[in-house]
Amino acid sequence: MASIFELIIAGDIPADIVYRDEEVVAFRDIKPVAPVHVLIVPTKPIPTTDDVSDADLPLIGRMYAVARDIARSEGIADDGYRLVMNCRDHGGQEVAHLHLHLIGGRRLGPMVGGEAAD
Ligand code: DGP
């Protein structure tokens, strides 16, 4: 079954798309945790970081380059921002389609805070 992000990439459900090319799509997170919260995803449906192959490494690099460029265009590059990629259950990954969170626009707290509810 297609993940929600595959449906967004295909245009089957709406999203606030901020960048798109053949390999990478970026759109605003539906539950933003900061003034800027953009998800950068590959169009290739890789489920998790654990599924990334060595052949995918240029694609992963492109995701980071897109995040860098969006951070600049959103005006948060000088102050700084956070890039996060969660993996599976303990990492808090909810959507099984690789995605890089670009989070910024305010001073962010500690990277890991509090305990998860199991
Ligand atoms: P993660 O927990 O790392 O898998 O992050 C998944 C993120 O995806 C979470 O911050 C909320 C966001 N999200 C989930 N469903 C949708 C959706 O339908 N549209 C958008 N724009 N974001 C979504």
Side-chain angles (χ1 to χ4, degrees):
M1 196 178 93
S3 73
I4 194 89
F5 290 175
E6 282 181 77
L7 298 176
I8 288 173
I9 292 163
D12 291 339
I13 66 166
D16 187 353
I17 307 262
V18 297
Y19 179 84
R20 176 188 285 279
D21 65 29
E22 280 190 10
E23 290 184 323
V24 178
V25 176
F27 49 89
R28 294 188 197 282
D29 195 292
I30 205 167
K31 291 188 291 188
V33 297
V36 175
H37 189 167
V38 174
L39 302 172
I40 296 98
V41 309
T43 54
K44 179 180 177 181
I46 302 168
T48 79
T49 51
D50 191 54
D51 301 299
V52 171
S53 71
D54 286 356
D56 293 322
L57 295 182
L59 174 60
I60 304 304
R62 288 222 53 247
M63 291 169 66
Y64 277 85
V66 168
R68 174 203 61 200
D69 292 346
I70 293 171
R72 289 177 182 165
S73 62
E74 294 283 322
I76 62 171
D78 287 348
D79 284 338
Y81 51 85
R82 185 170 292 162
L83 296 173
V84 176
M85 210 181 262
N86 295 321
C87 182
R88 295 187 176 149
D89 185 27
H90 282 195
Q93 184 176 6
E94 295 171 7
V95 180
H97 183 118
L98 196 69
H99 50 285
L100 181 62
H101 294 256
L102 166 63
I103 302 166
R106 67 170 172 83
R107 192 179 295 277
L108 301 168
M111 194 166 72
V112 178
E115 295 300 316
D118 273 331

